[in-house]
Amino acid sequence: MPNDQAVSDSIAASARAALSAVEPRPGVPKPDPIMVADHVRRSFGGLTAVNVEHVEIQRGAITALIGPNGAGKTTFFNLITGFDDANEGTWTFNDRQVAGTAPYKLARIGMVRTFQLTKALSRMTVIDNMRLGAKHQTGERFFAAILPFLWNSQEKSVGQKAMGLLERFNLHEKVGDFAGSLSGGQRKLLEMARALMADPELIMLDEPMAGVNPALKQSLLGHIKTMREEGTTVLFVEHDMDMVHDISDWVIVMAQGEVIAEGPPDTVMKDQAVIDAYLGAHHEAQLTETGESLTESSDGDSA
Amino acid sequence: MDWSFVLTQTLTQAIGIQAIIYCLAAIGLNVQFGYTGLLNFGQVAFVAAGSYAVGVIVLTFDLSLWLAIVVGVVVALVIALILGIPTLRLRADYLAIVTIAFSELVRLTVRSIAFKDVLGGAQGLNGKLGQDFHDTNPLPADFQSLPVLSWTRQDLWVVIVGWILVALFTLLVWLLVRSPWGRIVRGIREDEAAVVSLGKNVFAYKLQALMLGGVIGAFGGIVWAVAKQSVQPDTFRPEFTFFAYTILLLGGAARVFGPIVGAILFWIILAGTGEFLGQAIQAGWIDFLQPTDVGNIRFVLMGSGLIALMVFRPQGIFGDRRELALDAK
Ligand SMILES: Nc1ncnc2c1ncn2[C@@H]1O[C@H](COP(=O)(O)OP(=O)(O)OP(=O)(O)O)[C@@H](O)[C@H]1O
Ligand SMILES: [Mg+2]
């Protein structure tokens, strides 16, 4: 274990080192971007939900996307993954233009996302949810499906992979249960594990910690670090500043649809523009300092 | 009152030709609605496609029945594409609206005077439609009737082959739904976006389900034309689709044997009440009904039964209550 820890630390260190020379300003170019977005705009009627001039996501790093409620984070996720159509803009994934590509194709080429409102398939068992995530399954083709001998062995190996992940996410005792019988936090875990079944190159997690208890949070942080160790690029939306602080190599801040700040966690959380965006202008509080969360500090102020 | 007549008539119809036709239509709906969640309210159009393929190819063009079956399948596939391609990317209700409208459009078109030469207009197509099939009848020529089930030699052969078809399609559905393909369509039924996010081409799967269900429905129509040796446009009314849904719900949607159980039950209820009421009126037990009311009363009873089922056992006879209870998102 200490050895693993050392490896993990060194990967984290190298991910951070790659970004250390990057200037902390919105839209800054990265040394090795997996995704680059330009002029992405989406409005709902008169409201411009997303208006991102330029943003790059560093390969192999854990990037946090933060911002107050309604900042446009989820909408940005939806646009990038093809679940919503941008009014304008282009973006590349692995140097390939992917704006306008069907969402299932984006998932196939390695851009897999989870949802803020969890989408565990509740009428299916946990293991079936997991199996659904695996790519290139012969038995998913119509004519092959009716000939089980064509896909039985693949089904078995998919099942083994699923069991491995379920164990990692502490869901292995729920294998045969309907996903609908899981708790909210367990569904988040299942959704994340299911996304990993698809071997993503870039995994995009929309609030993975929402509704997860503190003890589990720690192990979730571990899982996300493990993803990075295995070479997966992680982009996640999160409101829990401590978590953002703990695991992210880079933080991008959105407010009112625009990227207003970028940088390593320490730098960003001291940024006055970020504090203003979260707490309103002329506010003294800091986002994290002694570990108290944002809500606690604002509660303290209003009291 | 002739109880044995009521019983034999009921039994004959419960597993008779009509039950087979509706069962096939319901197996198709089970693939579309039960497993994939597609609201196809125009299943009767696929049935009509099967029937008319037989009528037109055999009678109008004087070609073989076997060719007609191939044509029926192809037409069903084409209809599924026409209905599916524009609607399956949209919200679920669009398919429902388009299919019900389309099925009426089909009926009104085939009965219209404009195509009378080919499609027979309001009289439909009547003649030796199923001759190629009936020529294959292996039953002895002097066959009279089975002990209880009062089918003619010709009908019995249709019934035998019909149930074989039902068994084959049931086997096909069973193989499909327990495969990774089935896992995807069940996922689609619950939440398309989740399935898309895992890299599955949801649109293609919905189209496949619509096509398969349509082809199975078309076989219902083929059996119909062959058995009755006649194709009548006005038998293809929207009610047909709703009866097929009733059958599916009776037996339990998304259950492999749901359509079979449902079809048999449906005809037991329909034929049983019909024969019973008919006899009871004749025997003077019931004096507030005329024999002509019986047809309608049957459907009142069927409707009440369906309501009771939905209240007390919404998952159908075979359904899994747990699956239904897990609706939480
Ligand atoms: N489908 C929609 N129709 C209309 N307005 C929308 C729609 N989706 C999002 N919006 C608006 O766009 C803005 C950004 O919403 P979005 O969900 O992206 O915020 P978010 O940053 O994810 O917030 P949160 O942290 O609360 O999840 C909000 O003002 C929201 O009201
Ligand atoms: Mg959001």
Side-chain angles (χ1 to χ4, degrees), chain A residues 47-52 67-72 254-260 277:
Chain A
L47 177 94
T48 304
V50 167
N51 188 12
V52 170
N69 292 120
M254 282 182 77
Q256 294 173 348
E258 295 177 25
V259 175
I260 59 158

Side-chain angles (χ1 to χ4, degrees), chain A residues 40-52 68-76 79 84-88 254-258:
Chain A
V40 179
R41 194 176 60 79
R42 173 68 161 112
S43 4
F44 296 107
L47 177 94
T48 304
V50 167
N51 188 12
V52 170
N69 292 120
K73 307 179 294 292
T74 298
T75 308
F76 184 65
L79 295 175
D84 190 8
D85 297 321
N87 297 103
E88 56 177 294
M254 282 182 77
Q256 294 173 348
E258 295 177 25

Side-chain angles (χ1 to χ4, degrees), chain B residues 36-214:
Chain B
T36 318
L38 303 177
L39 275 173
N40 170 16
F41 281 139
Q43 183 68 338
V44 69
F46 292 98
V47 179
S51 285
Y52 269 93
V54 172
V56 170
I57 297 293
V58 174
L59 211 66
T60 313
F61 294 115
D62 199 19
L63 296 166
S64 111
L65 173 64
W66 315 119
L67 175 69
I69 293 174
V70 175
V71 171
V73 170
V74 172
V75 172
L77 291 173
V78 170
I79 291 177
L81 291 174
I82 292 172
L83 293 176
I85 288 173
T87 56
L88 288 178
R89 287 183 208 277
L90 306 173
R91 244 179 25 218
D93 4 2
Y94 288 87
L95 180 71
I97 296 165
V98 168
T99 47
I100 194 166
F102 183 81
S103 76
E104 272 297 78
L105 187 84
V106 165
R107 184 177 69 85
L108 295 172
T109 307
V110 293
R111 80 194 297 285
S112 81
I113 200 92
F115 307 109
K116 197 170 189 316
D117 294 343
V118 183
L119 302 171
Q123 274 77 50
L125 297 160
N126 309 287
K128 301 213 160 203
L129 295 182
Q131 202 52 51
D132 287 348
F133 172 79
H134 296 301
D135 286 346
T136 66
N137 195 335
L139 297 166
D142 57 354
F143 173 88
Q144 286 304 317
S145 163
L146 291 178
V148 177
L149 304 159
S150 50
W151 290 307
T152 63
R153 174 174 179 272
Q154 184 170 314
D155 282 353
L156 179 57
W157 180 224
V158 175
V159 167
I160 291 169
V161 174
W163 282 112
I164 291 174
L165 273 178
V166 167
L168 287 177
F169 283 123
T170 303
L171 177 69
L172 177 66
V173 171
W174 179 76
L175 284 169
L176 277 173
V177 298
R178 62 189 284 281
S179 76
W181 187 91
R183 194 155 61 216
I184 292 182
V185 298
R186 281 183 291 129
I188 292 172
R189 174 183 68 183
E190 195 171 334
D191 192 333
E192 270 183 59
V195 181
V196 168
S197 79
L198 297 168
K200 317 296 176 193
N201 186 354
V202 163
F203 174 72
Y205 284 93
K206 292 206 283 190
L207 207 51
Q208 286 170 18
L210 190 64
M211 290 164 83
L212 174 64

Side-chain angles (χ1 to χ4, degrees), chain A residues 73-75 116 206-207 237 239:
Chain A
K73 307 179 294 292
T74 298
T75 308
Q116 182 167 1
D206 200 344
E207 303 202 10
V237 171
H239 285 295

Side-chain angles (χ1 to χ4, degrees), chain A residues 83 103-104 107-108 115 119 121-124 128 131-132 134 137 139-140 145-146 151 155 178 180 187 194, chain B residues 172 175 179-181 183-184 186-187 190-191 193-194 196-201 205 322-323 326-329:
Chain A
F83 280 81
Y104 80 90
R108 279 191 191 171
F115 296 87
K119 290 189 184 295
L121 297 162
S122 49
R123 295 185 191 186
M124 273 195 211
D128 271 355
R131 285 193 173 121
L132 200 56
Q137 296 188 57
E140 292 182 346
I146 50 185
W151 47 264
E155 184 81 348
F178 280 113
R187 286 182 207 197
R194 190 177 65 187
Chain B
L172 177 66
L175 284 169
S179 76
W181 187 91
R183 194 155 61 216
I184 292 182
R186 281 183 291 129
E190 195 171 334
D191 192 333
V196 168
S197 79
L198 297 168
K200 317 296 176 193
N201 186 354
Y205 284 93
R322 280 185 310 163
E323 236 179 287
L326 293 169
D327 227 350
K329 277 272 154 75

Side-chain angles (χ1 to χ4, degrees), chain B residues 243-284:
Chain B
F243 292 159
Y245 267 101
T246 306
I247 285 168
L248 187 60
L249 297 177
L250 273 176
R255 296 286 127 183
V256 172
F257 290 105
I260 298 178
V261 175
I264 293 174
L265 271 178
F266 182 87
W267 286 99
I268 287 180
I269 298 170
L270 214 59
T273 52
E275 300 296 345
F276 172 78
L277 286 174
Q279 289 284 316
I281 291 168
Q282 254 183 25

Side-chain angles (χ1 to χ4, degrees), chain A residues 15 61 85 122 145 160 176 178 181 193 197 223 225 271 289-290:
Chain A
D85 297 321
S122 49
Q160 273 160 6
F178 280 113
S181 71
M197 285 295 290
H223 298 324
K225 285 181 189 160
D271 189 314
E289 193 184 30
T290 52

